[in-house]
Amino acid sequence: MIDKAVLARQFIEAIPHAKALGMRLDEIGAGTATISMAYDERFVGDPKTGVIHGGAVSAVMDTCCGAAVMSHPSAPGGTATIDLRIDYMRAAVPGQTITCTATCYHITRSVAFVRATATDEDAERPVATASGAFTVEGK
Amino acid sequence: MARPRPEPMQVVKQRRDAALGALVGGVPYIRFLGIQFDRRGDELTGVLNFDEKLIGNPFLPAIHGGVTAAFLEVTSIITLSWTFLFPDIESGAIDPERMAAGDLPRPPKTIDFTVDYLRSGLPRDAYARATVSRSGRRYASVHVAAWQDHHDKLFAQATGHFLMPPPLDADARG
């Protein structure tokens, strides 16, 4: 299990786009992952308000869901997104870090099912939630 | 009665391109991803210019699923804004120069966005076109499709729902 967590962390940190967005893998467990992204003016979607673009939140959600799948004890190797739905509850507060937690709640030989929640510094009120299906790939 | 003489082509192009440029250029995240828009009349095509920082799987390599989602969402929002604003840009109710100076209309807000990943995104440019399936006063539904080498071989598609900004107020119509 430890090896898998180390492997997943190395994998996430080797992703060029995760690096470009400044993503940090905060936690990884057996089928769960937490990734955060600090506020950055380059990721703003509405210049009048300074609110981060939904697309940047999507990228964190997608990465976090993938990490949750790879960290699952039944996942032999890599994964790719089949589909991902994101619901946006509210705008993230400008200046605050966005933190996403994903859970791979079911996995078969071919498909992993994942849910995720993203918050800003107010962890009580989600910014966005996601649910998706991911492929389960061999080593 | 004779119809009024059509505007010179340069005037029309200049107005439309200035408005589109302001709409797209004002958003930092669109610049960060390197997305541009081609315009043919009122039809827009999003162009995602490939860059190493867009890679999600360095071993394949493939474009990050989050980049694909963001590209589709950006294309949807710009196309929806463009469709919504086009009549006012054409009538002169919206001044492209004021838009360029930062007086941008509020963008639609994403309610939900569902992406289908059909193929892995290759490490090269990608294109996307969105169609507004329904645009009401408050809600809009948009479908968007993205491809790379062959237009009929989509690598991703998405459907999203958006909350429309309130109608332009008097001072925005300046």
Side-chain angles (χ1 to χ4, degrees):
Chain A
M1 209 71 72
I2 293 297
D3 289 346
K4 190 153 255 173
V6 172
L7 210 70
R9 188 184 301 261
Q10 283 173 345
F11 188 81
I12 302 301
E13 286 171 3
I15 297 174
H17 192 64
K19 257 189 246 169
L21 286 178
M23 286 187 214
R24 244 190 46 195
L25 184 73
D26 297 328
E27 273 179 56
I28 186 128
T32 64
T34 303
I35 290 180
S36 58
M37 177 182 73
Y39 183 82
D40 190 313
E41 283 175 1
R42 292 173 302 160
F43 311 154
V44 166
D46 183 355
K48 269 193 179 164
T49 57
V51 170
I52 292 288
H53 198 283
V57 179
S58 301
V60 180
M61 296 280 235
D62 185 70
T63 309
C64 195
C65 288
V69 173
M70 284 193 291
S71 74
H72 196 283
S74 307
T79 183
T81 319
I82 297 171
D83 97 301
L84 190 68
R85 174 190 166 114
I86 299 182
D87 292 286
Y88 295 94
M89 268 95 255
R90 65 179 176 94
V93 175
Q96 297 192 0
T97 292
I98 291 169
T99 305
C100 174
T101 300
T103 309
C104 174
Y105 62 92
H106 186 75
I107 190 163
T108 73
R109 272 169 298 173
S110 327
V111 188
F113 298 89
V114 192
R115 272 192 285 263
T117 303
T119 66
D120 52 19
E121 286 163 24
D122 177 1
E124 295 302 305
R125 296 189 311 132
V127 165
T129 60
S131 70
F134 285 70
T135 64
V136 175
E137 282 162 27
K139 281 208 186 283
Chain B
M1 208 178 96
R3 66 178 166 89
R5 201 173 163 72
E7 291 174 290
M9 184 186 74
Q10 305 90 299
V11 173
V12 176
K13 275 196 172 176
Q14 205 280 331
R15 178 178 62 234
R16 293 176 184 173
D17 288 338
L20 179 62
L23 202 60
V24 174
V27 182
Y29 186 64
I30 297 181
R31 258 180 283 142
F32 173 77
L33 288 179
I35 299 171
Q36 292 170 319
F37 284 84
D38 276 355
R39 185 187 64 76
R40 297 285 180 270
D42 69 343
E43 183 196 61
L44 299 183
T45 307
V47 180
L48 177 70
N49 293 291
F50 179 72
D51 187 277
E52 282 299 320
K53 73 166 189 277
L54 306 181
I55 290 289
N57 184 331
F59 304 111
L60 286 176
I63 291 180
H64 195 289
V67 171
T68 301
F71 176 46
L72 293 171
E73 194 175 330
V74 163
T75 304
S76 300
I77 292 173
I78 293 295
T79 303
L80 188 56
S81 297
W82 179 250
T83 307
F84 177 70
L85 297 172
F86 196 76
D88 284 333
I89 295 166
E90 289 300 285
S91 72
I94 294 178
D95 178 5
E97 276 181 32
R98 281 183 59 178
M99 282 174 73
D103 187 12
L104 288 165
R106 299 299 300 268
K109 286 183 187 166
T110 313
I111 300 167
D112 60 61
F113 202 68
T114 308
V115 184
D116 274 339
Y117 294 89
L118 306 171
R119 296 182 168 77
S120 69
L122 299 169
R124 60 188 72 151
D125 292 358
Y127 315 99
R129 260 182 220 156
T131 45
V132 179
S133 309
R134 190 209 178 237
S135 174
R137 260 185 315 146
R138 289 170 72 197
Y139 308 109
S141 175
V142 180
H143 185 262
V144 56
W147 70 97
Q148 292 188 300
D149 299 317
H150 303 286
H151 193 162
D152 53 0
K153 280 198 170 178
L154 303 178
F155 79 99
Q157 59 183 2
T159 304
H161 295 94
F162 298 85
L163 190 60
M164 298 306 289
L168 295 173
D169 52 289
D171 70 280
R173 287 183 172 268

